[in-house]
Amino acid sequence: MQILVTGGAGYIGSHTCIQLLNSGYEAIIVDNFSNSKPEALKRVEQITGEKLKFYKTDILDQEALIKVFEENKIEAVIHFAGLKAVGESVTLPLKYYQNNIAGTLVLLEVMEAFEVDKLVFSSSATVYGEQQCVPLNEALRVQATNPYGRTKLMIEQILQDVYQSNNNWSIALLRYFNPIGAHESGLIGEDPSGIPNNLVPYITQVAVGKLSKLNVFGNDYPTYDGTGIRDYIHVMDLADGHLKALEKVLSTRGAEAYNLGTGRGFSVLEMVQAFEAEIGKRIPFEVKARRPGDIAVSYADPSKAEIELNWRAERGLAEMCRDSWNWQKHNPKGYKKITENQVTS
Ligand code: NAD
Ligand code: UD1
């Protein structure tokens, strides 16, 4: 069965492609490589021993997208393509609304034209904004505090409207918590451009010597050690969640949101300690002011996904740290430098 994967060369998309291929699906990738490299797809093929069909195409290019649908018999779409840097979205909001929202509208129009009405969408825990209590469940009122978050919120609403207008649609809105880790081979992983915004790639780049020390954004939050608490989830568990969501949309109708998280939070200092234990060396850090827009605590109530998708995160923090580090140490320059000894030690 052919599944269109938009943004399939990216961090989460490439890991999901592995699980799609391993499960017997045919993955058709559309990516403009604005935040990824073709090398990621070559490595997916290397890991799985399967061929991927890919198009270097922008989802905003309706004609090109129509061609993809004409040339293939697509049964469902997993839609990862989008821009995701919160800070950049504040300075360049139109770029984010254009790419994420207009891009999704073009995709939906083409899907409708080809009567493809099954969709798994990459939403984010960012749609919860700041809430009074944790864990966060799907029934909470959603809100967003920056343009990136608003694109996710708006797309969720657009997809609900699409379903309301035509109940044949089947849509899963996957609200990811904090994806980290990498495929166990160390061949693919997260490859942020420039200085990482997110905690884990920052820690591993300090460990590998690319950055001198970690800045801990605030130690005066109302948490047990004063630092922010997040629900880190292994990217391969997230990939498995997409397979379960795909099975769900292929077999039912509706538009439902699901948290993909572990249900357990770790503080910044606990993450530093976990990586120190894995890597066997100190991660130097300095406490700095809070990062504007950050919240104190975020972790999922993952029970809806467990009940309705039959999915649960299986991999623990030690495995997440091991696989993040395995990827980073074998690929200190990400996908840029290709050497012969990149396989697991
Ligand atoms: P990523 O940047 O690694 O992957 C996104 C991919 O989409 C990239 O390969 C990029 O080149 C492609 N892309 C972007 N705009 C495109 C366009 N107009 N046409 C074609 N391709 C385009 O990001 P990721 O971490 O893999 O995230 C995937 C999705 O999950 C995104 O929508 C993101 O917002 C969402 N998400 C990510 C996280 C996270 O922490 N990584 C958390 C929550 C939600
Ligand atoms: C980020 C995104 C959010 C996205 C989420 C999921 C931002 C502002 N928000 O949030 O939209 O949905 O990822 O992947 O980018 N920290 C440090 N030092 C650093 C980096 C982070 O102390 O150099 C702290 C943060 O203050 C936070 C924790 O580490 O407490 C995690 O940060 P990060 O990895 O950026 O994730 P989120 O803040 O959850």
Side-chain angles (χ1 to χ4, degrees):
M1 185 186 290
Q2 294 189 325
I3 309 297
L4 175 66
V5 185
T6 74
Y11 172 45
I12 305 169
S14 56
H15 288 81
T16 302
C17 283
I18 291 178
Q19 300 305 61
L20 279 174
L21 296 174
N22 283 342
S23 305
Y25 293 101
E26 210 180 315
I28 316 289
I29 317 295
V30 163
D31 204 301
N32 64 0
F33 300 119
S34 59
N35 196 38
S36 56
K37 307 251 166 26
E39 178 63 21
L41 297 177
K42 288 196 196 133
R43 295 196 191 178
V44 169
E45 290 181 336
Q46 186 183 339
I47 290 165
T48 59
E50 301 281 341
K51 278 307 263 185
L52 284 168
K53 189 166 180 183
F54 77 90
Y55 294 82
K56 184 177 186 301
T57 293
D58 195 304
I59 56 165
L60 283 154
D61 184 343
Q62 187 155 16
E63 269 178 36
L65 215 47
I66 287 172
K67 197 161 167 276
V68 174
F69 277 75
E70 280 171 351
E71 288 179 3
N72 300 284
K73 174 86 191 72
I74 290 160
E75 307 270 346
V77 178
I78 306 182
H79 178 33
F80 293 104
L83 299 172
K84 61 168 184 175
V86 173
E88 187 187 52
S89 81
V90 175
T91 46
L92 298 172
L94 297 181
K95 180 177 172 184
Y96 275 68
Y97 289 122
Q98 176 69 11
N99 192 77
N100 293 5
I101 296 186
T104 301
L105 292 177
V106 171
L107 173 68
L108 291 171
E109 277 171 2
V110 176
M111 287 177 70
E112 205 162 56
F114 284 81
E115 295 176 357
V116 176
D117 51 16
K118 301 182 185 326
L119 177 69
V120 176
F121 170 63
S122 300
S123 188
S124 168
T126 196
V127 300
Y128 291 113
E130 182 122 49
Q131 299 282 341
Q132 291 305 312
C133 49
V134 278
L136 302 166
N137 68 56
E138 294 85 348
L140 289 166
R141 184 182 282 272
V142 288
Q143 49 183 307
T145 52
N146 55 67
Y148 164 71
R150 276 188 278 280
T151 69
K152 294 296 178 194
L153 206 61
M154 287 179 199
I155 295 168
E156 284 204 6
Q157 285 164 348
I158 289 166
L159 293 173
Q160 293 288 359
D161 288 341
V162 166
Y163 172 69
Q164 287 309 321
S165 74
N166 177 352
N167 288 172
N168 286 327
W169 277 84
S170 185
I171 302 169
L173 311 167
L174 302 184
R175 295 178 179 165
Y176 314 152
F177 280 70
N178 290 58
I180 63 169
H183 186 260
E184 62 180 1
S185 64
L187 283 168
I188 64 168
E190 188 171 12
D191 183 17
S193 52
I195 295 175
N197 294 313
N198 299 114
L199 179 66
V200 166
Y202 205 108
I203 290 177
T204 58
Q205 290 198 13
V206 169
V208 87
K210 270 178 91 173
L211 297 165
S212 61
K213 63 173 169 23
L214 172 72
N215 299 312
V216 173
F217 297 143
N219 66 353
D220 57 351
Y221 284 104
T223 63
Y224 42 80
D225 64 15
T227 65
I229 291 176
R230 295 292 184 273
D231 185 338
Y232 298 93
I233 174 168
H234 198 296
V235 68
M236 292 304 292
D237 275 329
L238 207 57
D240 291 338
H242 287 76
L243 268 282
K244 295 290 190 181
L246 179 63
E247 284 168 23
K248 176 87 176 173
V249 298
L250 287 170
S251 60
T252 55
R253 290 170 184 174
E256 288 291 331
Y258 298 101
N259 284 342
L260 296 187
T262 66
R264 166 120 206 239
F266 291 97
S267 74
V268 175
L269 296 182
E270 285 174 323
M271 294 303 286
V272 170
Q273 280 160 12
F275 273 96
E276 286 179 342
E278 166 60 32
I279 297 167
K281 70 174 178 194
R282 307 289 304 167
I283 307 290
F285 69 84
E286 191 178 332
V287 176
K288 291 281 174 74
R290 292 181 180 192
R291 182 170 63 179
D294 271 359
I295 55 174
V297 184
S298 165
Y299 59 90
D301 172 351
S303 53
K304 186 177 175 191
E306 185 162 355
I307 294 162
E308 294 187 19
L309 302 181
N310 191 26
W311 170 87
R312 192 175 61 188
E314 302 288 352
R315 297 159 177 89
L317 184 59
E319 209 171 330
M320 298 185 218
C321 295
R322 182 198 71 194
D323 293 337
S324 294
W325 177 234
N326 189 42
W327 154 254
Q328 180 73 75
K329 76 177 172 199
H330 287 106
N331 304 270
K333 294 185 176 169
Y335 289 113
K336 271 195 208 100
K337 184 135 192 293
I338 301 156
T339 57
E340 269 130 41
N341 55 347
Q342 280 154 336
V343 198
T344 337
S345 52

